[in-house]
Amino acid sequence: MHPLLLWLDPVWQHLLAGKYWHWLLGGWCVTMLTSLLAIAAATLLGIGFALARNSRLAPVRGLALVYLSVFRNTPLLVQLFFWYFGVPSLLPAEWMAWLNRPHPLGGGWFSLGWPSFEFISAAVGLVFYSTAYVGEEVRAGIRSVAPSQVQAARSLGMTGWQVQRHIVLPQALATITSPLLGQYMNIIKNTSLGMTIGLVELSYRARQAEAETFQSFQVYGITTLLYIVLILALEVLGRHLERRRRWGRVQLRRA
């Protein structure tokens, strides 16, 4: 039984049987894991994408623009189908057999199961799709940094990478905290499309539970609340970061 079920009052057990709570909470964990991986990877790749969009090299800017056009102008659902159905047809059969074969990760007290191909496809699709949006937010933050600061850093002998790392990117990321959190919320909600390729996330489990119990109101009501918990957690984090940013500004002015 899922550990979280131990916290449930018997009233909740009457609302929905423990088996289905286990399904929903298990799917919720998959949604959180997929979201965290997609958020982390899309943020790192998005920074690289933003730098490429602002590159002085025309070929690099052109490739970034092509990436933007492809991934922002096609539906995420189609992209998930491409990664799940299209890409395997191009890979050697041995590779697909290896991907679908269980591989224990770690050992002893720490061990993880090999992720399913559905999980891999959904995570990859979400990362490539979200990178285009996150990257544009980062690019907007970079453009908001005053050119005079870049020039001053250059005059001190800093290299281009040092300027980006120590001057531009910290200010850019601080400026776009709210838009970035909005993109992260979209990533959480977009994980629900993973059910179309068999990812056993929260929406998938909700559909299973509803089909077996016919308790549509209870199942989808609980599912909605679980999504809201994740979104509220991001909102609380965003407000905390915004308060820290404002406090930092006040301290800087006093100094």
Side-chain angles (χ1 to χ4, degrees):
M1 181 166 293
H2 199 286
L4 291 177
L5 291 177
L6 299 177
W7 296 357
L8 296 177
D9 189 86
V11 174
W12 294 100
Q13 296 285 349
H14 289 297
L15 180 65
L16 195 65
K19 170 185 175 181
Y20 305 111
W21 278 103
H22 176 75
W23 283 8
L24 294 178
L25 292 173
W28 191 49
C29 291
V30 173
T31 292
M32 285 192 290
L33 178 59
T34 308
S35 300
L36 288 174
L37 287 175
I39 287 170
T43 301
L44 293 175
L45 292 175
I47 292 173
F49 172 81
L51 295 176
R53 285 274 281 153
N54 291 329
S55 174
R56 296 180 179 180
L57 301 176
V60 175
R61 292 198 308 272
L63 289 174
L65 186 59
V66 169
Y67 181 95
L68 181 69
S69 300
V70 170
F71 287 96
R72 288 193 67 165
N73 294 329
T74 53
L76 175 57
L77 183 59
V78 173
Q79 294 181 35
L80 292 178
F81 286 160
F82 169 77
W83 292 109
Y84 186 69
F85 296 109
V87 170
S89 65
L90 303 177
L91 298 177
E94 296 79 10
W95 291 20
M96 288 303 303
W98 186 87
L99 284 173
N100 287 298
R101 190 183 309 127
H103 305 283
L105 303 175
W109 291 99
F110 180 79
S111 61
L112 294 173
W114 184 257
S116 65
F117 187 69
E118 289 80 9
F119 180 86
I120 295 172
S121 300
V124 170
L126 274 171
V127 167
F128 277 90
Y129 177 80
S130 303
T131 294
Y133 289 89
V134 172
E136 282 297 279
E137 298 291 356
V138 176
R139 178 171 173 258
I142 291 175
R143 292 172 67 90
S144 69
V145 178
S148 59
Q149 297 193 38
V150 176
Q151 295 168 3
R154 287 284 194 174
S155 68
L156 293 174
M158 298 178 70
T159 64
W161 169 243
Q162 289 175 330
V163 172
Q164 294 295 329
R165 180 183 176 185
H166 298 290
I167 305 298
V168 176
L169 286 177
Q171 294 185 71
L173 294 177
T175 302
I176 61 170
T177 298
S178 295
L180 265 185
L181 288 175
Q183 293 298 336
Y184 295 162
M185 292 176 188
N186 287 333
I187 290 175
I188 292 174
K189 291 181 283 187
N190 285 337
T191 58
S192 62
L193 291 177
M195 67 179 292
T196 60
I197 59 173
L199 179 65
V200 188
E201 44 73 59
L202 181 54
S203 296
Y204 185 101
R205 285 303 194 183
R207 186 176 179 183
Q208 276 188 320
E210 191 274 337
E212 189 165 313
T213 64
F214 296 102
Q215 293 178 291
S216 302
F217 178 81
Q218 293 92 325
V219 169
Y220 288 115
I222 294 168
T223 301
T224 300
L225 290 176
L226 290 176
Y227 275 116
I228 289 174
V229 168
L230 293 179
I231 300 300
L232 285 178
L234 274 181
E235 286 191 1
V236 170
L237 175 62
R239 291 176 182 176
H240 173 69
L241 293 175
E242 186 63 26
R243 283 196 299 268
R244 288 191 59 182
R245 181 188 172 193
R246 291 177 180 175
W247 175 253
R249 284 183 175 179
V250 170
Q251 294 297 104
L252 185 61
R253 288 174 183 174
R254 289 178 178 177

